[in-house]
Amino acid sequence: MHTILVINCGSSSIKYEVYRMPDRESIGKGLIERIGQDMGHICQKRPDGKVYDSNAPMPDHKAAMEHLKSALIDGEAGLISSMAEIHGVGHRVVHGGEEYSTSVTIDDKVIAAIEKNIELAPLHNPANLIGIREAMNQLPDCTQVAVFDTAFHQTLSPAAYLYGLPREFYDKYRIRRYGFHGTSHRYVSGEAIKLMKRHPSNTNVISCHLGNGASITAIANGKSMDTSMGFTPLEGVVMGTRSGDIDPQILFYLMERGFSKEDLNRILNKESGMLGLSGISNDMRDIEEAAASGNKQCREALDVYAYRIRKYIGAFAANMVRTDILVFTGGIGENSVKMRERICHRLESLGIILDDERNRENGNRQGVISADYSKTAICVVPTNEELQIARDTYEIIDGM
Ligand code: ADP
């Protein structure tokens, strides 16, 4: 049995989880928040209900990692008895550029590549690197593995990843579709294939990850063929606060009317999407509630959301020989019975037929929600990126 620590290090937070592999057993998880502020907070939970909760000064990630260690081996609510129990650490890394199409053991070359890709993910890769460096300092004898959000989409063909821009923009500036949420799409498509008792080598899946960020991916015979997010996570469907696809000329039009580059960056990433459209919230629950009590803007926001997702499903279906499975995941995909209904309504012409009762009864569990006669099976699969990272880390250690 191997003990694997999974780390998702952000600029002011660290999410972590400990797994026993290959049993896929989570023995607890935690969240450290407010790193860099006067007082940080760490909360760790065990499956038996034991909680480690503490406020402490966390001036930087080094201090946060020290607290993480204390929480892990705490006599009362710890997850392990000593740090020596940990065999490997799996790190979520947002951008692997074109360098990595699979998860890899971290060495100097990998660190250099993550550094090189900071220009493509300036908000995420630096924080991921800090987590890697701290974990390497504190657990020098462990295998450290990088699992990239972009890696799964490295199988896209030039037809799917090139933009209609001058060719030198790709050669010189590395502008292309990279895609994100790769670990989630890989996990849920794999689980859906198992659920339907099929084999990845002859199954085509369209996977809808609908959380605060959202993306749709077409997976043909186990390989990502196209995905809605692009050079950055801004492209694609309408999200919680991101606009998704817009006519790029809108930016120039607004610039001519006094909006700065910074304004537009903020508006498109933080003030648009469902928040901008509904005018009340980026949270799907609030919007569904307001729409149900007659709020017109919210009703329209829900229609835009579902329409855009259907558009991608249709486009991806048109580029695959057939679609065997449509899978929903993420906070909205897993929980919103109504949104799944809204999206699937009108997909009947593609042979994707929802069973309303199964959809309602399934709620947020893993299961099949399509009609028996639907050509495409529709599934709900709760995502588990941490487990996928633990699996990748275990496989690398096991193969050494
Ligand atoms: P993140 O991308 O931050 O991980 P999540 O995957 O947790 O986000 O998804 C958050 C979204 O899921 C929010 O818009 C939230 O409203 C929505 N959500 C969660 N539960 C429900 C529910 N029962 N019904 C509708 N939407 C839900």
Side-chain angles (χ1 to χ4, degrees):
M1 194 73 74
H2 284 77
T3 303
I4 309 286
L5 169 63
V6 175
I7 291 184
N8 182 352
C9 187
S11 57
S12 65
S13 70
I14 302 177
K15 260 167 90 178
Y16 64 94
E17 187 153 5
V18 180
Y19 279 94
R20 295 247 196 261
M21 298 299 284
D23 282 8
R24 307 170 51 153
E25 182 200 354
S26 168
I27 56 170
K29 59 178 158 184
L31 173 65
I32 306 179
E33 288 176 294
R34 300 200 292 271
I35 301 169
Q37 294 183 22
D38 289 344
M39 198 51 89
H41 178 237
I42 176 164
C43 183
Q44 172 180 285
K45 289 183 185 147
R46 271 189 351 205
D48 66 5
K50 275 252 162 52
V51 175
Y52 177 102
D53 196 291
S54 159
N55 288 304
M58 271 186 229
D60 52 28
H61 284 78
K62 188 169 179 324
M65 284 296 285
E66 290 287 349
H67 285 287
L68 194 157
K69 256 166 76 173
S70 306
L72 285 180
I73 56 172
D74 183 68
E76 270 289 296
L79 310 182
I80 49 177
S81 46
S82 95
M83 293 305 280
E85 274 182 43
I86 297 176
H87 294 92
V89 185
H91 296 268
R92 177 187 181 221
V93 182
V94 166
H95 221 304
E98 289 189 322
E99 282 87 353
Y100 296 106
S101 56
T102 57
S103 302
V104 286
T105 307
I106 300 176
D107 57 16
D108 291 347
K109 200 170 137 240
V110 175
I111 289 184
I114 299 171
E115 262 168 357
K116 179 183 154 201
N117 289 321
I118 286 177
E119 65 178 8
L120 299 176
L123 297 180
H124 295 101
N125 272 25
N128 301 156
L129 263 179
I130 292 172
I132 290 171
R133 290 201 167 109
E134 282 307 324
M136 286 175 111
N137 283 338
Q138 309 221 12
L139 291 159
D141 300 326
C142 275
T143 304
Q144 312 266 343
V145 170
V147 179
F148 300 97
D149 255 21
T150 50
F152 186 51
H153 304 302
Q154 278 299 302
T155 45
L156 261 61
S157 67
Y161 74 66
L162 285 177
Y163 288 110
L165 290 167
R167 182 73 196 207
E168 76 247 32
F169 286 11
Y170 171 57
D171 299 330
K172 206 165 151 190
Y173 302 116
R174 303 199 284 156
I175 293 175
R176 53 160 285 175
R177 178 181 311 285
Y178 289 101
F180 300 87
H181 287 147
T183 311
S184 174
H185 288 297
R186 181 156 60 99
Y187 176 80
V188 298
S189 60
E191 292 299 300
I193 287 168
K194 271 192 240 157
L195 184 66
M196 298 315 298
K197 300 191 170 50
R198 296 190 59 111
H199 195 272
S201 66
N202 63 3
T203 307
N204 294 340
V205 181
I206 295 178
S207 153
C208 305
H209 177 115
L210 311 177
N212 266 318
S215 66
I216 318 292
T217 294
I219 300 145
N221 305 325
K223 293 190 171 136
S224 174
M225 195 195 83
D226 201 354
T227 189
S228 59
M229 282 180 170
F231 179 62
T232 73
L234 187 55
E235 192 182 346
V237 295
V238 170
M239 307 177 213
T241 60
R242 296 190 194 119
S243 63
D245 300 332
I246 61 163
D247 178 345
Q249 197 70 33
I250 294 169
L251 301 180
F252 309 122
Y253 187 84
L254 289 173
M255 276 172 156
E256 281 158 14
R257 279 151 186 81
F259 289 87
S260 68
K261 191 179 81 180
E262 289 72 28
D263 291 337
L264 294 175
N265 198 6
R266 189 190 67 250
I267 293 166
L268 260 56
N269 280 291
K270 303 221 156 85
E271 297 170 9
S272 298
M274 294 305 275
L275 173 64
L277 279 168
S278 71
I280 62 157
S281 172
N282 64 322
D283 193 299
M284 191 56 82
R285 284 164 292 200
D286 299 340
I287 301 168
E288 285 186 337
E289 209 181 295
S293 42
N295 183 313
K296 183 167 171 279
Q297 274 190 200
C298 288
R299 269 208 321 266
E300 282 175 0
L302 294 173
D303 288 343
V304 174
Y305 189 86
Y307 185 91
R308 293 291 187 95
I309 290 169
R310 271 200 306 275
K311 241 167 118 164
Y312 268 99
I313 293 172
F316 288 166
N319 277 294
M320 290 203 284
V321 181
R322 37 158 232 288
T323 306
D324 301 302
I325 304 173
L326 175 69
V327 53
F328 286 104
T329 194
I332 298 163
E334 289 164 32
N335 294 295
S336 178
V337 169
K338 282 201 195 114
M339 185 48 77
R340 294 196 299 251
E341 214 174 87
R342 257 187 222 100
I343 293 167
C344 291
H345 164 68
R346 288 171 184 251
L347 289 177
E348 290 86 357
S349 59
L350 293 175
I352 303 176
I353 301 159
L354 187 76
D355 182 304
D356 288 336
E357 210 173 305
R358 279 182 190 162
N359 183 37
R360 271 195 303 276
E361 278 172 7
N362 189 79
N364 60 2
R365 281 169 296 128
Q366 175 154 319
V368 182
I369 55 170
S370 44
D372 289 335
Y373 54 89
S374 178
K375 276 201 296 193
T376 300
I378 309 173
C379 303
V380 176
V381 176
T383 194
N384 195 339
E385 287 160 280
E386 290 75 18
L387 175 56
Q388 186 64 56
I389 294 172
R391 270 187 192 162
D392 288 8
T393 308
Y394 171 72
E395 274 169 24
I396 286 178
I397 292 173
D398 199 41
M400 277 176 167

